[in-house]
Every structure is written in C-alpha cells, then in structure tokens.
C-alpha cells in the first residue's frame, strides 16, 4: 500500500467537450515530470499517477477538469486509504489542481504555468501549501494572474509562493530540465513536510 500519492494533471483547452484524443500531447508533456517525481520520491512508497479527463476542456461552469480531479481523489482514497496527496498540474491542470486542493487529503499543489482567471476561488485553500511556477514571457496563460492568485490565496490562509521561471514559455520546453527538477523537488518537499 502506498504511503502517499502524487496526481499529475495535464493541460487542456478552455472549451473542448469531446474526449481527449488517443495521442494526447498535453498528457505526453507530463511524462518527464512523472519520471522526475518518481526519482525524487524513490523508496518512499509514493504512488505517482495521472488524472484522466473525460473531456478535453474546462468547459465553463462545468469545470470538467476540476470535477475529474475530485473523482480521481475519491478513487485514490478507495484504493489506498487516506494517504496524503500532492497535486502537480500544468496550465488547465494547474487550475484543476488548485480548485481540487480543498480535499482533506491534499497536502499541497505544484502548479506549472497555471491558468488562474481573476475570479478563480481561493477560500478553500486555507492551510494548503501552493507553489505556482511561471515564466513571465508565457503568452498562453498569464504569470501576472498567477502572482495575483498567490496574493489572494495568502489572504485566504494558504502558504502560497509564486516562483518566476527564467525560461520555458507555456510549454516549458526551453529549460525543461529546470522545470522538471524544480517541480520534483517541490513535490518531494510537500510530501516530506506536510
């Protein structure tokens, strides 16, 4: 039985009700992160898994990706019991992770170039540790909105930090090793310190 778990949440679209395609590039982009996290927590009994979305997009008020994250947390609880969980998400997956972070099992979130609209709720984040990593040259999601989310989350009682990344844009391809290493270190630290 695992002693803890990390759930990875890949990016997606604002709108996209159809199921994700068989060749899902956003999901493939998370594979190196899964590998880096697996290496960082080796020997600690940590399950590393990815959330499977039923739909390709967030889809407005339906917040499909966040609902899928909540379903995954429930399935994890059924399989492994009440283990501590860290959510690691990119873009839409970062938004889904932050939205699902109110679950009692969630110890913290590492959000990579997350999509943080100005009206994204924060009241459920009290007592959670959050790390938002963003390259300020990202043209898909806004680093400024990430830093504003961090400020609002702190006001709601979260231990939140915004971490500017020197390169990588939205896809995190330039400087990818730094993104992988930083995400894995922060994830491992969240599992260690609680």
């Amino acid at each position: 039985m695992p002693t803890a778990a990390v759930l990875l949440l890949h990016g997606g679209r604002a709108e996209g009700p159809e199921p994700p395609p068989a060749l899902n590039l956003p999901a493939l982009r998370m594979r190196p992160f899964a590998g880096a996290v697996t290496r960082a927590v080796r020997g600690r009994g940590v399950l590393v898994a990815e959330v499977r979305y039923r739909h390709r997009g967030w889809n407005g008020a339906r917040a499909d990706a966040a609902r899928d994250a909540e379903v995954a947390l429930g399935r994890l609880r059924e399989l492994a019991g009440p283990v501590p969980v860290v959510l690691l998400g990119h873009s839409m997956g970062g938004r889904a992770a932050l939205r699902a972070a109110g679950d009692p099992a969630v110890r913290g979130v590492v959000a990579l170039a997350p999509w943080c609209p100005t009206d994204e709720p924060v009241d459920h984040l009290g007592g959670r540790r959050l790390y938002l990593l963003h390259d300020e040259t990202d043209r898909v999601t806004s680093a400024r909105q990430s830093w504003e989310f961090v400020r609002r989350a702190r006001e709601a009682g979260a231990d939140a930090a915004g971490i500017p990344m020197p390169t990588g844009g939205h896809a995190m391809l330039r400087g990818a090793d730094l993104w992988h290493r930083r995400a894995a270190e922060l994830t491992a630290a969240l599992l260690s310190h609680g």
Side-chain angles (χ1 to χ4, degrees):
M1 285 298 264
T3 59
V6 177
L7 288 180
L8 287 89
L9 297 96
H10 67 74
R13 300 175 173 180
E15 301 293 329
E18 76 281 0
L23 178 60
N24 187 340
L25 295 178
L28 286 175
R29 181 64 195 94
M30 293 305 286
R31 294 271 164 83
F33 288 97
V37 168
T38 299
R39 288 187 296 279
V41 298
R42 184 173 284 127
R44 291 171 53 183
V46 177
L47 171 69
V48 179
E50 52 188 89
V51 173
R52 294 275 183 209
Y53 301 133
R54 292 166 298 127
H55 302 284
R56 197 172 193 171
W58 185 265
N59 301 315
R62 283 180 20 195
D64 286 324
R67 289 197 312 181
D68 289 343
E70 290 163 3
V71 168
L73 285 164
R75 293 243 331 116
L76 179 63
R77 212 173 346 268
E78 291 168 12
L79 295 170
V83 298
V85 180
V86 171
L87 302 175
L88 172 59
H90 172 235
S91 190
M92 179 190 77
R95 182 180 184 186
L98 291 163
R99 182 75 66 96
D103 185 286
V106 175
R107 190 169 271 183
V109 174
V110 179
L112 311 169
W115 175 25
C116 295
T118 53
D119 61 347
E120 189 63 21
V122 295
D123 292 341
H124 62 293
L125 296 171
R128 297 293 185 274
R129 269 202 165 141
L130 315 171
Y131 297 107
L132 281 68
L133 286 66
H134 222 130
D135 173 3
E136 293 184 337
T137 67
D138 186 337
R139 290 193 180 118
V140 177
T141 57
S142 165
R144 193 169 355 99
Q145 286 182 333
S146 285
W147 311 151
E148 177 62 15
F149 183 90
V150 166
R151 185 192 63 72
R152 293 190 308 111
R154 284 181 182 154
E155 288 175 358
D159 179 1
I163 301 172
M165 296 296 285
T167 187
H170 190 69
M172 310 169 296
L173 294 173
R174 281 191 42 235
D177 288 347
L178 177 62
W179 282 89
H180 302 154
R181 188 172 64 252
R182 181 85 38 94
E185 289 167 355
L186 292 169
T187 300
L190 284 168
L191 290 171
S192 295
H193 305 305

